[in-house]
Amino acid sequence: MFSDAYDKLLWLLLALAVAAIVLLLVVGGGPGGGKQAGLGKAVEREMAYRARVELIGKLYGPVETLRRSGNNSAALLKLDELIRKYPGEAHGYILQGEILREMGTADEALASFVQGVKLNGDYLDANSPLSRRDEIQRLVDEDAKSIGARAAANPDNRTAAAALQRVNYLKSRLAGGCE
């Protein structure tokens, strides 16, 4: 079998070929490994997004219950607690904006919506399960004129100028602009 140099050379080449195939299978993850890895990441992203939506539903469910029962003050108190606990989560600010809007405080509602949208733009995506695009569009449409008139009538009023700036920010984001 290993009687001459030619046989030894053939066995060495065969061993190198087998080693190369094994290495390709291990490093490449097998046939179609790149596609599977890309598909795996897409599935992981989708699962993470769905888990986030589920977690938001659980965290903010008591706030929604209080809101539906008409107890907006208690809902705001619960939201303050959740916003302090999860300051990077946009959903609390969005809910706060909706409740403040229902209570008739447009300037504070605008500030909350802006904060929420700055933290997560998914709330303006019409295809997102978290979308609040219609509510934000309605707020901007209804309040832009009154806030603009108030800012024009009182050019030194910083509160009105800040509210106008927030309306313009939301208009820009609704139009597809980014930060």
Side-chain angles (χ1 to χ4, degrees):
M1 186 169 195
F2 296 108
S3 59
D4 61 36
Y6 184 71
D7 286 343
K8 292 178 184 175
L9 180 65
L10 284 178
W11 280 105
L12 178 67
L13 289 175
L14 182 62
L16 287 174
V18 170
I21 290 171
V22 169
L23 182 67
L24 285 175
L25 289 176
V26 170
V27 172
K35 289 181 182 177
Q36 289 176 349
L39 181 63
K41 288 187 180 199
V43 169
E44 285 178 13
R45 277 194 302 266
E46 180 68 24
M47 289 175 64
Y49 189 75
R50 289 183 187 264
R52 180 175 177 263
V53 170
E54 186 78 22
L55 179 63
I56 284 173
K58 285 183 181 178
L59 283 176
Y60 295 96
V63 174
E64 291 284 355
T65 302
L66 288 168
R67 184 175 167 204
R68 273 186 249 125
S69 68
N71 198 350
N72 285 338
S73 298
L76 285 174
L77 286 174
K78 181 71 177 166
L79 267 177
D80 282 341
E81 177 184 319
L82 289 171
I83 287 172
R84 273 188 261 120
K85 192 171 183 179
Y86 306 102
E89 177 52 55
H91 197 76
Y93 293 103
I94 297 294
L95 280 178
Q96 189 178 44
E98 290 175 346
I99 293 169
L100 290 171
R101 174 87 169 121
E102 288 172 8
M103 295 174 77
T105 56
D107 289 355
E108 289 82 6
L110 275 170
S112 291
F113 278 120
V114 166
Q115 183 67 29
V117 168
K118 282 183 176 179
L119 287 172
N120 190 335
D122 286 351
Y123 290 92
L124 294 177
D125 182 3
N127 297 324
S128 170
L130 299 173
S131 178
R132 297 296 198 274
R133 185 178 182 85
D134 292 339
E135 291 88 353
I136 294 172
Q137 182 71 56
R138 200 172 21 256
L139 175 71
V140 167
D141 291 344
E142 292 173 1
D143 293 340
K145 291 178 186 171
S146 65
I147 290 173
R150 190 172 42 146
N154 303 307
D156 295 332
N157 186 337
R158 290 183 181 183
T159 304
L164 184 60
Q165 192 175 25
R166 290 181 189 118
V167 167
N168 289 334
Y169 172 80
L170 289 175
K171 277 183 182 177
S172 169
R173 294 297 304 264
L174 286 165
C178 51
E179 297 274 330

